[in-house]
C-alpha cells in the first residue's frame, strides 16, 4: 500500500479590492476572500502610473481579515495596491489592482451627521 499525500494547493486570489483615501495621510483597503486554505493576505503597493509593474510588500493580515489601513502614505500621491492570499504552497495570483490618489494633507474626511 502506498501512502500518497496530497501536495499543498495555492489559495484562491482575493477579489474586489478597493482603496479609499481618508484625508491625506491614510488609505483603507478592503477585499473579498475567495475560498478557504489561506493562512493570510499579503498587501503590496506601487507608486507609479498605471499599469504598474513594480510592487513592494507593505504588510500582512491573518486569515479571514478583509481590510488593511496604510498609514504610510503621502498627500497628493497616487498609489496602486494589490493583495495575495498565501499558504504553505505559496502565494495566490494577485487580486485586481486598486488605485487611489490621496488629497492635500489638510483635507479631512466628511464629518458624520449628528
Amino acid at each position: 500500500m502506498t501512502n500518497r499525500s496530497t501536495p499543498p494547493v495555492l489559495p484562491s486570489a482575493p477579489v474586489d479590492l478597493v482603496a479609499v483615501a481618508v484625508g491625506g495621510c491614510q488609505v483603507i483597503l478592503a477585499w473579498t476572500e475567495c475560498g478557504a486554505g489561506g493562512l493570510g493576505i499579503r498587501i503590496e503597493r506601487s507608486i507609479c502610473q498605471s499599469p504598474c509593474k513594480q510592487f513592494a510588500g507593505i504588510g500582512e493580515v491573518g486569515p479571514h481579515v478583509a481590510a488593511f489601513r496604510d498609514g504610510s502614505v503621502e498627500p497628493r500621491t497616487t498609489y496602486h495596491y494589490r493583495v495575495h492570499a498565501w499558504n504553505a504552497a505559496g502565494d495566490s495570483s494577485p487580486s485586481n489592482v486598486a488605485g487611489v490618489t490621496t488629497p492635500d494633507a489638510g483635507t479631512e474626511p466628511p464629518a458624520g451627521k449628528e
Side-chain angles (χ1 to χ4, degrees), residues 83-109:
V83 296
H84 299 262
W86 66 273
N87 66 14
D91 286 358
S92 71
S93 56
S95 68
N96 59 295
V97 173
V100 64
T101 300
T102 53
D104 290 335
T107 305
E108 295 297 321

Side-chain angles (χ1 to χ4, degrees), residues 1-65:
M1 206 173 188
T2 304
N3 182 9
R4 294 183 183 184
S5 62
T6 305
V9 176
L10 291 175
S12 298
V15 297
D16 301 329
L17 175 65
V18 294
V20 178
V22 180
C25 62
Q26 63 181 331
V27 171
I28 304 296
L29 305 174
W31 58 86
T32 301
E33 252 186 287
C34 286
L39 297 175
I41 301 288
R42 290 192 169 100
I43 298 95
E44 297 179 333
R45 180 178 75 191
S46 180
I47 303 171
C48 65
Q49 297 301 320
S50 191
C52 297
K53 294 181 181 168
Q54 294 184 352
F55 285 83
I58 60 166
E60 291 185 9
V61 295
H64 313 299
V65 176

Side-chain angles (χ1 to χ4, degrees), residues 65-92:
V65 176
F68 179 82
R69 183 185 69 84
D70 182 1
S72 65
V73 298
E74 297 291 328
R76 298 179 312 278
T77 306
T78 298
Y79 296 94
H80 293 87
Y81 295 89
R82 68 185 186 186
V83 296
H84 299 262
W86 66 273
N87 66 14
D91 286 358
S92 71

